[in-house]
């Protein structure tokens, strides 16, 4: 019979043997590499989406080199490489790290441009982050959420009046290339500056996926020029980066946004764009020999975007009431919004803003299609003042575009139809807006108020925008109490509404008199 000391020695030897076996399952060998992916033999202990370390590749590169275990098979592991595949060679060692991909989070990232693994790209030195988060986190359940009810103002008249977005909502922006999708997203970021000044900040994350580096730099410079970079984080996975980095980029940006949401703050994240994200995932999946499905996309491409966009949420008051609002962007081909990826994302989101090329090239900018754009949260996420003045606006605009198409073929129009066309033409002018010029709530409310109440109907169409510019400047000095009430209460009383009618009439007399004077001088 063994003594206690001998039993202890035998047990320790057995444990050492087990540890060696476990360690052996955590080490593998590269058997194939190329096109941004590698296949390794061994690694029986690897987890799905685990970070795998390449010691020899790290020595060649001069910094740590990692990959992500994406395909766990019987005899090998498919790995997507987070760096140049030229650094990895057949026979190289691969090691498990026991860590799933993580990214630094927190306010330390504000004003910075980083890659999807948290490394700085702006030359401003290391990021002193105190906290890290996994890039893949399960979305909060229904019990942890509350219905979307707070407005997220974009500063764009056409959106805030007809397609309101709420904090915690997912609103898709889609359209052909070069129709102003990124411009809407950038304007929404710039508009949050006024909320930061009011003490109601919305922190912004712009995720660039598969964009040219010059385009990403241009967006960063624009945000810096308007003072928006101080509350914005850019996550960049340019077109020149490996497919793996483009694949993880939106998840990394989402984890950064979730930190703000889970700490009782509000965040806005823009994914620009998820079409290129799906293409990057298709590239990686095909290289890993996953079976192709429709349009060669792998079968889980719907899950790819649903598990990302489900993470946008408005949390319950018990959990701090924070929110993460998502504005994914999708690029359509030749106005085909019923294609595979667009319809996937439309079914996941809470509405869409469709940009129509015909409107864009016709000078209507932003080129928002009233008939095909919708917000499924609706007026619950709209400011009370805007709700009062824009109640019928979307219906009137949809009817105008329908009548305008019909009127092209009609020889004679009845008086009612003619009046609707005249009103619609003026409202189209009212909703036009220059790029990088988001408007405050009172400015939007007052010019839409003038338009929907018919005060612009007898003005020439080309005079509507000059009227708007001069009217808003005049109103700010002449009726500051109206401006103050709308901006502080986000609403207006019946008495204020009377003063609004009075103000528009008063300025219109001045404007028409000036127009007549200029016409006489010109004659």
């Amino acid at each position: 019979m063994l003594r206690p000391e001998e039993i202890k020695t035998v047990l320790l030897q057995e444990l050492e043997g087990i540890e060696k076996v476990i360690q052996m399952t955590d080490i593998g060998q590269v058997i194939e590499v190329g096109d941004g992916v590698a296949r390794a033999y061994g690694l029986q202990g690897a987890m799905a989406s685990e970070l795998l370390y390449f010691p020899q590749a790290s020595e060649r590169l001069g910094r740590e080199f990692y990959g992500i275990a994406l395909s766990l098979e019987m005899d090998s592991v498919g790995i997507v490489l987070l760096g140049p595949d030229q650094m990895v060679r057949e026979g190289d060692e691969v090691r498990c790290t026991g860590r799933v991909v993580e990214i630094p989070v927190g306010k330390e990232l504000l004003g910075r441009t980083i890659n999807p693994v948290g490394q700085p790209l702006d030359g401003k030195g290391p990021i002193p982050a105190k906290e890290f988060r996994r890039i893949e986190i399960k979305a909060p359940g229904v019990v942890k959420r509350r219905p979307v009810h707070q407005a997220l103002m974009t500063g764009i008249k056409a959106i805030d009046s007809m397609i309101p977005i709420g904090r915690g909502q997912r609103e898709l922006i889609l359209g052909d290339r070069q129709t102003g999708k990124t411009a809407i997203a950038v304007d929404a970021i710039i508009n949050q500056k006024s909320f930061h000044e009011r003490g109601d900040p919305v922190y912004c994350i712009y995720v660039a996926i598969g964009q040219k580096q010059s385009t990403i730099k241009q967006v960063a410079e624009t945000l810096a020029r308007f003072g928006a970079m101080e509350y914005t984080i850019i996550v960049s996975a340019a077109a020149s980066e490996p497919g793996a980095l483009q694949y993880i980029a939106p998840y990394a940006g989402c984890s950064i946004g979730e930190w703000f949401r889970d700490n009782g703050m509000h965040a806005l994240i823009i994914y620009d764009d998820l079409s290129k994200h799906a293409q990057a995932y298709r590239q990686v999946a095909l290289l890993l020999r996953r079976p192709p499905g429709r349009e060669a996309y792998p079968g889980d491409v719907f899950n790819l975007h649903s598990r990302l966009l489900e993470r946008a949420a408005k949390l319950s008051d018990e959990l701090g009431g924070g929110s993460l609002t998502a504005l994914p962007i999708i690029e359509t081909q030749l106005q085909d919004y019923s294609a595979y990826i667009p319809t996937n994302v439309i079914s996941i989101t809470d509405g869409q803003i469709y940009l129509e090329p015909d409107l864009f090239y016709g000078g209507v900018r932003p080129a928002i299609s009233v008939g095909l754009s919708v917000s499924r949260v609706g007026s619950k996420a709209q400011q009370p003042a805007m709700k009062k003045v824009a109640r019928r606006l979307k219906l009137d605009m949809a009817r105008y575009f329908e009548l305008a198409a019909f009127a092209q073929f009609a020889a004679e129009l009845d008086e009612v139809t003619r009046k609707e066309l005249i009103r619609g033409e003026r409202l189209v002018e009212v909703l036009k807006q220059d790029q990088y010029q988001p408007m405050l709530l009172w400015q939007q409310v007052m010019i839409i108020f003038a338009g929907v109440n018919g005060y612009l109907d007898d003005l020439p169409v080309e005079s509507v925008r000059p009227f708007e510019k001069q009217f808003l400047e005049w109103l700010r000095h002449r009726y500051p109490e109206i401006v103050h009430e709308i901006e502080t209460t986000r609403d207006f009383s019946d008495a204020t509404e009377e003063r609004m009618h009075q103000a528009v009439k008063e300025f219109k007399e001045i404007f028409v008199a000036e127009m007549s004077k200029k016409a006489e001088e010109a004659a």
Side-chain angles (χ1 to χ4, degrees):
M1 189 173 175
L2 294 172
R3 293 196 303 273
E5 294 82 8
E6 291 173 328
I7 293 170
K8 188 177 179 182
T9 305
V10 170
L11 287 171
L12 285 171
Q13 287 172 348
E14 287 181 0
L15 281 170
E16 283 175 11
I18 292 167
E19 283 177 7
K20 284 177 183 175
V21 171
I22 291 169
Q23 286 171 1
M24 289 300 291
T25 64
D26 288 346
I27 297 174
Q29 194 175 40
V30 175
I31 56 176
E32 189 182 345
V33 64
D35 294 319
V37 301
R39 195 167 291 279
Y41 175 77
L43 296 171
Q44 286 92 343
M47 300 182 289
S49 299
E50 182 176 354
L51 267 184
L52 303 175
Y53 177 59
F54 292 76
Q56 288 99 327
S58 299
E59 287 175 18
R60 294 183 196 114
L61 190 61
R63 59 180 172 82
E64 290 185 335
F65 189 102
Y66 291 99
I68 303 172
L70 207 63
S71 288
L72 304 181
E73 296 171 15
M74 289 291 290
D75 56 350
S76 64
V77 174
I79 306 163
V80 288
L81 303 174
L82 298 175
D85 57 15
Q86 298 90 337
M87 297 295 123
V88 181
R89 294 171 191 167
E90 191 179 332
D92 279 4
E93 189 180 283
V94 193
R95 294 180 185 172
C96 291
T97 61
R99 293 188 293 127
V100 176
V101 191
E102 292 179 325
I103 190 162
V105 294
K107 289 190 175 181
E108 294 82 7
L109 275 72
L110 293 172
R112 303 298 300 269
T113 301
I114 61 171
N115 70 7
V117 289
Q119 296 164 333
L121 300 175
D122 50 13
K124 296 179 182 176
I127 296 166
K130 302 180 183 69
E131 199 176 330
F132 287 77
R133 274 191 174 219
R134 290 183 174 185
I135 65 166
E136 288 265 21
I137 301 171
K138 189 179 177 183
V142 175
V143 176
K144 295 180 180 178
R145 302 175 184 236
R146 67 166 297 180
V148 173
H149 66 284
Q150 292 170 292
L152 183 119
M153 299 289 290
T154 63
I156 300 169
K157 289 176 285 189
I159 295 175
D160 291 340
S161 61
M162 297 187 293
I163 317 147
I165 299 171
R167 295 186 183 184
Q169 189 174 343
R170 302 155 299 174
E171 184 78 11
L172 171 64
I173 302 170
L174 80 162
D176 286 11
R177 65 185 303 273
Q178 299 294 317
T179 50
K181 300 185 297 297
T182 302
I184 284 178
V186 172
D187 279 355
I189 293 175
I190 293 170
N191 190 56
Q192 304 315 311
K193 186 174 177 66
S194 60
F195 290 89
H196 279 259
E197 290 166 354
R198 286 166 54 106
D200 182 22
V202 176
Y203 299 98
C204 303
I205 303 104
Y206 178 79
V207 184
I209 309 158
Q211 306 286 329
K212 290 187 293 185
Q213 286 184 334
S214 59
T215 305
I216 300 168
K217 188 178 179 184
Q218 193 176 352
V219 169
E221 286 173 352
T222 301
L223 293 174
R225 187 166 79 248
F226 289 98
M229 269 308 285
E230 61 192 48
Y231 54 82
T232 303
I233 301 158
I234 295 178
V235 179
S236 169
S240 56
E241 298 287 356
L245 283 179
Q246 294 182 44
Y247 158 60
I248 67 170
Y251 301 102
C254 192
S255 288
I256 294 169
E258 283 180 321
W259 182 88
F260 291 104
R261 182 199 71 193
D262 295 345
N263 283 282
M265 293 172 271
H266 302 283
L268 166 67
I269 185 162
I270 285 128
Y271 304 111
D272 192 6
D273 64 62
L274 291 187
S275 305
K276 293 186 177 69
H277 180 234
Q279 288 160 17
Y281 184 61
R282 175 171 62 183
Q283 170 196 325
V284 167
L286 290 174
L287 289 167
L288 289 171
R289 297 177 193 158
R290 289 188 175 180
R294 179 175 164 188
E295 293 179 33
Y297 288 103
D300 62 341
V301 73
F302 183 89
N303 176 259
L304 178 79
H305 290 148
S306 65
R307 72 177 193 261
L308 169 71
L309 294 169
E310 282 296 327
R311 292 162 69 178
K314 167 67 179 168
L315 293 185
S316 64
D317 294 339
E318 293 77 23
L319 294 173
S323 70
L324 175 61
T325 309
L327 295 182
I329 294 174
I330 288 283
E331 184 181 299
T332 54
Q333 305 290 330
L334 297 172
Q335 305 181 49
D336 185 13
Y337 51 83
S338 61
Y340 186 32
I341 299 301
T343 49
N344 271 358
V345 184
I346 285 170
S347 65
I348 297 164
T349 49
D350 308 310
Q352 68 275 347
I353 297 166
Y354 178 64
L355 302 177
E356 209 167 329
D358 294 344
L359 290 175
F360 184 84
Y361 297 122
V364 179
R365 300 179 187 179
I368 294 169
S369 168
V370 178
L372 294 172
S373 302
V374 66
S375 171
R376 297 191 188 100
V377 171
S379 61
K380 283 187 179 180
Q382 203 168 23
Q383 300 286 11
M386 183 63 82
K387 196 185 295 189
K388 284 180 180 177
V389 299
R391 189 177 286 114
R392 284 185 48 83
L393 181 61
K394 189 172 187 198
L395 196 65
D396 289 347
M397 292 302 298
R399 183 159 170 75
Y400 161 71
F401 284 115
E402 189 181 328
L403 286 173
F406 170 75
Q408 290 177 344
F409 307 103
E412 291 184 13
L413 298 171
D414 61 86
E415 188 63 21
V416 175
T417 304
R418 200 175 63 80
K419 283 181 178 178
E420 285 188 12
L421 287 169
I422 289 170
R423 173 79 54 88
E425 284 175 3
R426 273 74 183 164
L427 289 175
V428 167
E429 288 297 311
V430 163
L431 294 176
K432 285 182 183 178
Q433 196 165 336
D434 293 332
Q435 195 173 350
Y436 309 137
Q437 291 188 12
M439 296 175 72
L440 297 172
L441 177 64
W442 72 267
Q443 295 172 322
Q444 296 185 44
V445 166
M446 286 308 301
I447 191 60
I448 290 171
F449 178 83
V452 296
N453 284 291
Y455 289 113
L456 309 179
D457 290 1
D458 54 349
L459 291 179
V461 174
E462 61 275 8
S463 299
V464 171
R465 298 195 76 188
F467 177 93
E468 175 187 333
K469 187 177 179 182
Q470 295 173 36
F471 171 56
L472 296 177
E473 188 63 30
W474 175 86
L475 186 79
R476 192 163 58 86
H477 292 101
R478 182 71 178 80
Y479 286 90
E481 69 279 4
I482 296 177
V483 174
H484 183 263
E485 182 175 340
I486 294 174
E487 278 300 303
T488 52
T489 66
R490 323 303 275 177
D491 200 352
F492 55 80
S493 62
D494 292 342
T496 302
E497 187 174 354
E498 288 299 319
R499 285 203 299 278
M500 287 160 67
H501 281 288
Q502 181 186 333
V504 180
K505 288 173 186 171
E506 194 177 320
F507 177 76
K508 188 179 173 185
E509 287 177 9
I510 298 168
F511 185 79
V512 169
E514 285 182 2
M515 277 177 55
S516 302
K517 187 179 177 183
K518 285 178 183 175
E520 287 172 9
E521 288 173 357

